[in-house]
Structure formats: C-alpha cells, structure tokens
C-alpha cells in the first residue's frame, strides 16, 4: 500500500553485486524489467521512511541450473507458507529494512517469487493492521508480556514525535508514507508467529 523503490543488481567478478537498474513502483501499479539470469540477479528494496534492504537473490525454483539457487547462508532466511496458501509453491525471503531514523522500529517484508520463464515478484507484509482506537497501540509477535517486548518484533500504529521531526520531507511526501511509517493508525510487519499481542502506547506520541 505504498511506493516501492527497487534496485536490481548482478553478480560480478569477485562475488561483488553491481547495481544495474533502479525503478519506482507506485501503489497498485505493476512494472517489469530484465536481468541476465547467468549473473545471479539480486534486488534491494526501499519504502518511505526506511533504508535500502540488503541485496537478496531472485530465486526461481523451477530453474534447472545453479544460477537461481540460494547459497547455504541465504537458505536460512527463507520462509515457507502453508500448503493451502495461494502462493505456497513460491520461494519466500524475509527482507529487513532499518528505519531512516536512529531508534526507529525495523520493518520486515516478504519477497515472494512466482517461478517460471518470467518470474513474478511480489512484496507484502504478514500483518496489515488498522488501529481505530485513536489510543496508539504497540503490536508484537506471539503472546509476550509488555516487559518482554523485543525492538525488532515491535510495531506501532503511530509515529513518535521524536522520530517524525527527523524524517526528510521527501520521505513524508512519498506515496503511501503513512502506511510504512506507522502513521494514520496503520502498521505493517512480519512475524514467524501465528499470534500477535498488543498494548496501549505510552511514549511521546
């Protein structure tokens, strides 16, 4: 539900990833691009209010060569959905984005690659929460108590005033910034847990 910037890269000599193209995808718009599959294509994404994610390999599960296969290290980051999911057979990778402001909550999104001669790549979050209480809520994965909240699992339905003043104006004007920045009563986040807990926010919001 927000503007997405995508940077494409290919593996060069010395296992160095070199950026080849950068595109911007507006809300609700599909786009396409081309890469050299022999060079193990990677991508990095950015949403308003967050830094670029680390490079992640585009993995086509139906490929018959090692070109698209994950390394042993990246294999540990893969996330599989249940068999009854519409896209259960697609390869999933969790991408972690750091907040543009120091101390801001991390954002984790899922990259799903639909296999085939022309792979289809989708990005989404496991939870998309609308907060209509006007209280400002903190959400975390699992059933942990407030004293056990971990920063990387915590998502808020509001933006702290301390953080908001440090957000560049260009980020605040990007399409859908209110979703990814936790403003206007909505928050996005990923968790491997099937349950979530919430508490009423109590900082300087």
């Amino acid at each position: 539900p927000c503007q997405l910037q995508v940077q494409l890269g290919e593996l060069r000599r010395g296992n160095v990833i070199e950026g080849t193209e950068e595109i911007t995808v507006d809300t609700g718009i599909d786009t396409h691009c081309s890469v050299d599959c022999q060079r193990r294509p990677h991508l990095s994404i950015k949403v308003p209010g967050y830094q670029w994610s680390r490079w992640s390999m585009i993995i086509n599960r139906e490929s018959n060569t090692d070109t698209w296969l994950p390394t042993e290290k990246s294999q540990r980051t893969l996330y599989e959905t249940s068999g009854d999911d519409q896209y259960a057979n697609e390869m999933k990778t969790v991408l972690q984005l750091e907040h543009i402001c120091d101390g801001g909550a991390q954002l984790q999104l899922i990259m799903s690659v639909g296999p085939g001669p022309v792979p289809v790549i989708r990005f989404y979050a496991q939870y998309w929460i609308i907060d209509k209480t006007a209280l400002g809520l903190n959400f975390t994965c699992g059933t942990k108590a407030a004293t056990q909240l971990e920063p990387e699992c915590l998502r808020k339905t509001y933006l702290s005033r301390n953080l908001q003043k440090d957000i560049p104006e260009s980020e605040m004007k990007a399409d859908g910034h209110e979703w990814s920045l936790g403003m206007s009563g909505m928050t996005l986040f990923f968790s491997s847990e099937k349950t979530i807990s919430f508490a009423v926010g109590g900082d300087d919001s």
Side-chain angles (χ1 to χ4, degrees), residues 30-98:
D30 295 331
T31 188
H32 65 276
C33 57
S34 60
V35 294
D36 184 351
C37 63
Q38 299 299 320
R39 294 186 179 274
R40 296 191 180 184
H42 288 65
L43 58 74
S44 173
I45 66 170
K46 184 183 188 304
V47 296
Y50 291 84
Q51 307 284 359
W52 286 93
S53 69
R54 292 183 178 182
W55 289 107
S56 182
M57 185 186 297
I58 302 173
I59 305 169
N60 189 331
R61 291 180 61 133
E62 291 188 351
S63 177
N64 293 321
T65 71
D66 291 338
T67 302
W68 297 86
L69 297 180
T71 63
E72 182 178 353
K73 180 179 179 181
S74 63
Q75 182 73 36
R76 294 194 298 269
T77 68
L78 302 182
Y79 172 75
E80 296 290 348
T81 54
S82 59
D84 58 353
D85 185 270
Q86 181 180 0
Y87 305 116
N89 293 328
E90 298 184 356
M91 188 67 74
K92 313 294 191 303
T93 305
V94 179
L95 304 180
Q96 181 170 295
L97 290 77
E98 299 292 337

Side-chain angles (χ1 to χ4, degrees), residues 9-201:
E10 297 174 349
L11 198 64
R12 306 295 187 180
R13 288 183 178 179
N15 289 328
V16 176
I17 300 174
E18 179 179 316
T20 58
E21 184 179 359
E22 183 176 324
I23 57 178
T24 298
V25 183
D26 292 324
T27 304
I29 301 298
D30 295 331
T31 188
H32 65 276
C33 57
S34 60
V35 294
D36 184 351
C37 63
Q38 299 299 320
R39 294 186 179 274
R40 296 191 180 184
H42 288 65
L43 58 74
S44 173
I45 66 170
K46 184 183 188 304
V47 296
Y50 291 84
Q51 307 284 359
W52 286 93
S53 69
R54 292 183 178 182
W55 289 107
S56 182
M57 185 186 297
I58 302 173
I59 305 169
N60 189 331
R61 291 180 61 133
E62 291 188 351
S63 177
N64 293 321
T65 71
D66 291 338
T67 302
W68 297 86
L69 297 180
T71 63
E72 182 178 353
K73 180 179 179 181
S74 63
Q75 182 73 36
R76 294 194 298 269
T77 68
L78 302 182
Y79 172 75
E80 296 290 348
T81 54
S82 59
D84 58 353
D85 185 270
Q86 181 180 0
Y87 305 116
N89 293 328
E90 298 184 356
M91 188 67 74
K92 313 294 191 303
T93 305
V94 179
L95 304 180
Q96 181 170 295
L97 290 77
E98 299 292 337
H99 204 284
I100 201 170
C101 299
D102 291 338
Q106 297 173 340
L107 181 65
Q108 291 181 309
L109 301 178
I110 301 172
M111 177 178 74
S112 182
V113 181
V118 181
V120 176
I121 303 177
R122 304 176 182 86
F123 297 96
Y124 58 94
Q126 184 177 7
Y127 295 105
W128 179 0
I129 303 167
I130 301 176
D131 175 11
K132 297 184 178 182
T133 67
L135 298 175
L137 301 179
N138 295 337
F139 285 87
T140 186
C141 61
T143 55
K144 300 177 182 178
T147 56
Q148 299 175 312
L149 297 182
E150 299 176 0
E152 62 271 18
C153 299
L154 180 64
R155 298 300 301 161
K156 301 178 179 180
T157 59
Y158 56 89
L159 186 66
S160 167
R161 292 193 183 96
N162 284 339
L163 295 180
Q164 187 171 347
K165 62 182 177 61
D166 296 326
I167 301 290
E169 186 176 354
S170 59
E171 298 285 321
M172 298 294 283
K173 291 183 177 180
D175 181 29
H177 70 274
E178 62 271 25
W179 311 144
S180 55
L181 289 177
M183 301 173 64
S184 302
M186 180 170 285
T187 184
L188 299 170
F189 76 108
F190 164 81
S191 168
S192 58
E193 301 282 347
K194 295 184 178 180
T195 56
I196 56 176
S197 303
F198 71 91
V200 176

